Amino acid sequence: MSEPVKLTDASAYESFLDKYDTFLIDCDGVIWHGNNVLPNLREALSVLRKKGKKLLFVSNNSATSRKGYLKKFKKLNIEIHDGEVFGSAYASAYYIKNVLKFPKEKKVYVVGDVGIIEELESEGIRYAGANEDSNFDTSNWDYANIKQDPEVGAVLCGFDIHVNYLKYAKAFTYLNSNPECLFFLTNDDPTFPANGTVYPGGGAIAAPLITALGRNPDGIFGKPNKPMLDCIIQHLNLNPERTCMIGDRLDTDILFGTNGGLGTLFVLTGVNKEQDILAKDARIIPDYYMASLGDFSIL
Amino acid sequence: MSEPVKLTDASAYESFLDKYDTFLIDCDGVIWHGNNVLPNLREALSVLRKKGKKLLFVSNNSATSRKGYLKKFKKLNIEIHDGEVFGSAYASAYYIKNVLKFPKEKKVYVVGDVGIIEELESEGIRYAGANEDSNFDTSNWDYANIKQDPEVGAVLCGFDIHVNYLKYAKAFTYLNSNPECLFFLTNDDPTFPANGTVYPGGGAIAAPLITALGRNPDGIFGKPNKPMLDCIIQHLNLNPERTCMIGDRLDTDILFGTNGGLGTLFVLTGVNKEQDILAKDARIIPDYYMASLGDFSIL
């Protein structure tokens, strides 16, 4: 494994940028923290655009659809265009439709938020669950209310702030009663960053199903897993050698790039720190790293 | 490992019963299925009582307190006396109070149902969570609402039909922000039986915390784990050699007995079947087994 190259001045930035045509860019911890855009980020992205680079914003957050992301970019006054966002909810819908060729008469039971629903709708995939099961009235509860449903051909689980026992019991029953029902996660991040700390993420939300079923999912779409990258490469017809993943998390963003044969640029504005890649026992090493993506704004 | 002895007639029943003074008896799948008492069960328990045996009903179900169990036995017209029920909720409260000697000024944050609350109250342990966080209004949600609380000295998680993201986020935050905060599960059953099938159990409910924290609990009280047995033996001053665990689940009941040096009697009225103990690769073997505990009624 070779040493990561630290980018610290304009000439290093220029020769780095010359190596790639396309940049896959993580959002949280790289271009913003929550609703706060990082310093010089808008200007740095303009530099990349002026150099003719193709940009794709890649997020594991399944609670927001591409449409939702476009809104957020606009609200934060960051230049964005249709087709420049790829989240794990869209990756899931894209994969289920185009790779899995999910039967039209079947439906997907969703433990998740509006982002997943919007993306399944955009791909014309039938679904159940999500919002319709968010209000769980336990006052007349009877386990016999949960019926098997042969129309459910897959369970898709992502981050869900409205998660409840009804959703877990239904998803479990569909999977447990029908060995042909597929089990997918939008992503498996154990936590996600917010408010200067972390909270249970999509991988935590899915854990009760994995524990109760005693088996792993049939597919996990988000970083660092391969399906999302396969979707992106197929969708945008990318050359991996001329593509670089930019991110703040070693175990999702950088591993995703490394697993996919992309270049990798690690930035120090998020979850992981410089010591995490310089430690003797570091396992995930980026090709390049720099203090902040905003530093490209000096070019 | 010796072959299990199948009990099939009155003389085998008599010589088995002569070996033990105390019987720890699992409830669901042994004496009832849900609200249906198994055939001849009342009569079989009377036989044991007439022979002067001490009975203790031992359940992993943390949703019901000892008080709640007494009510259920009475409703189902099964003879029961104070002190004859020991559930994982009580084992948790007993352990936290008497073994851990939990500081009086600290409180336990509960992800769980009324059974846990009733048992913590009975032991005079301060608590938070449970019912008070069951109604989670996400309309004005802000992660910043979740504050660290230095008064929370432990998180106790059990089965919770009202589980929601607020409870997970709070429990996670208390544990993640304070390395001295202890993490306990009432039990870790991945599923529990109901309605002729199974549903996600207490172990599934706890899984998001384990996944998000990236660590195992500091203690798990219910069968097959040791703390519940330690509490029972200490509480009742039992001689393990003269005590027999009767249950329908190999991986909880029988393993619990085996781990604790008790005799074990496996009954075929529940989750596991005869082939599970006779298979060549069987790992958990009871000392004795019989068709149904109700068969003792012929004595």
Side-chain angles (χ1 to χ4, degrees), chain A residues 1 3 6 20 81 93 100 114 127 140 201 203 255 266 290 295:
Chain A
M1 209 169 329
E3 288 285 299
K6 186 168 191 175
Y20 303 103
H81 303 276
L100 195 65
V114 61
Y127 63 88
N140 288 307
L255 187 58
F266 168 55
M290 67 194 292
D295 294 346

Side-chain angles (χ1 to χ4, degrees), chain B:
Chain B
M1 210 170 324
S2 57
E3 288 284 300
V5 175
K6 187 168 190 174
L7 307 178
T8 54
D9 59 34
S11 85
Y13 298 164
E14 293 282 9
S15 60
F16 163 79
L17 292 175
D18 283 347
K19 291 197 169 66
Y20 303 103
D21 303 320
T22 303
F23 293 93
L24 310 184
I25 307 175
D26 179 47
C27 297
D28 210 37
V30 178
I31 59 172
W32 60 54
H33 286 146
N35 285 317
N36 301 309
V37 181
L38 293 184
N40 305 319
L41 232 298
R42 296 182 187 89
E43 297 76 8
L45 293 175
S46 292
V47 166
L48 299 182
R49 289 185 186 283
K50 276 184 202 138
K51 288 179 178 290
K53 307 300 182 187
K54 189 193 273 276
L55 306 184
L56 188 68
F57 297 92
V58 176
S59 171
N60 263 8
N61 176 351
S62 70
T64 308
S65 64
R66 289 166 299 162
K67 202 173 77 183
Y69 271 109
L70 288 180
K71 265 194 206 159
K72 178 163 181 176
F73 274 81
K74 284 173 186 164
K75 198 180 97 188
L76 295 179
N77 198 25
I78 306 172
E79 184 179 342
I80 192 77
H81 303 277
D82 277 354
E84 284 188 338
V85 175
F86 211 98
S88 70
Y90 178 55
S92 305
Y94 184 91
Y95 185 95
I96 290 170
K97 170 84 171 288
N98 298 298
V99 181
L100 195 64
K101 307 206 181 294
F102 194 67
K104 278 206 171 67
E105 68 279 11
K106 294 274 184 184
K107 57 189 176 188
V108 174
Y109 183 81
V110 178
V111 178
D113 218 324
V114 61
I116 298 175
I117 295 306
E118 288 179 0
E119 298 293 14
L120 290 175
E121 280 177 352
S122 80
E123 296 292 302
I125 299 166
R126 296 179 65 209
Y127 63 88
N131 283 348
E132 74 182 25
D133 286 334
S134 287
N135 294 312
F136 176 32
D137 178 5
T138 59
S139 55
N140 288 308
W141 173 246
D142 184 342
Y143 287 96
N145 294 344
I146 298 181
K147 313 276 189 218
Q148 298 177 23
D149 184 345
E151 283 200 340
V152 173
V155 165
L156 175 59
C157 182
F159 182 76
D160 186 356
I161 203 162
H162 302 101
V163 74
N164 60 32
Y165 191 78
L166 177 65
K167 295 180 184 181
Y168 283 139
K170 281 190 168 186
F172 171 79
T173 297
Y174 300 141
L175 290 163
N176 194 46
S177 65
N178 176 7
E180 299 196 348
C181 185
L182 294 163
F183 177 27
F184 295 122
L185 310 191
T186 58
N187 64 309
D188 61 355
D189 303 50
T191 59
F192 71 92
N195 190 34
T197 180
V198 294
Y199 296 93
I205 296 296
L209 298 176
I210 294 168
T211 298
L213 292 163
R215 75 169 176 101
N216 286 319
D218 298 303
I220 304 169
F221 299 115
K223 300 172 285 183
N225 303 287
K226 201 83 185 337
M228 183 137 128
L229 189 60
D230 292 343
C231 292
I232 290 171
I233 288 174
Q234 180 183 335
H235 195 54
L236 299 186
N237 197 20
L238 294 181
N239 173 3
E241 287 182 13
R242 296 285 301 169
T243 302
C244 182
M245 175 72 211
I246 304 177
D248 69 311
R249 278 188 93 132
L250 296 169
D251 61 358
T252 54
D253 303 320
I254 302 305
L255 187 59
F256 177 73
T258 305
N259 283 347
L262 312 182
T264 50
L265 171 63
F266 168 54
V267 294
L268 301 176
T269 44
V271 170
N272 288 117
K273 304 298 167 202
E274 190 168 9
Q275 70 216 38
D276 297 331
I277 59 166
L278 299 182
K280 274 196 178 158
D281 59 349
R283 292 178 308 106
I284 305 170
I285 312 281
D287 297 318
Y288 300 92
Y289 70 111
M290 66 193 293
S292 166
L293 186 59
D295 295 346
F296 285 144
S297 63
I298 64 166
L299 297 181

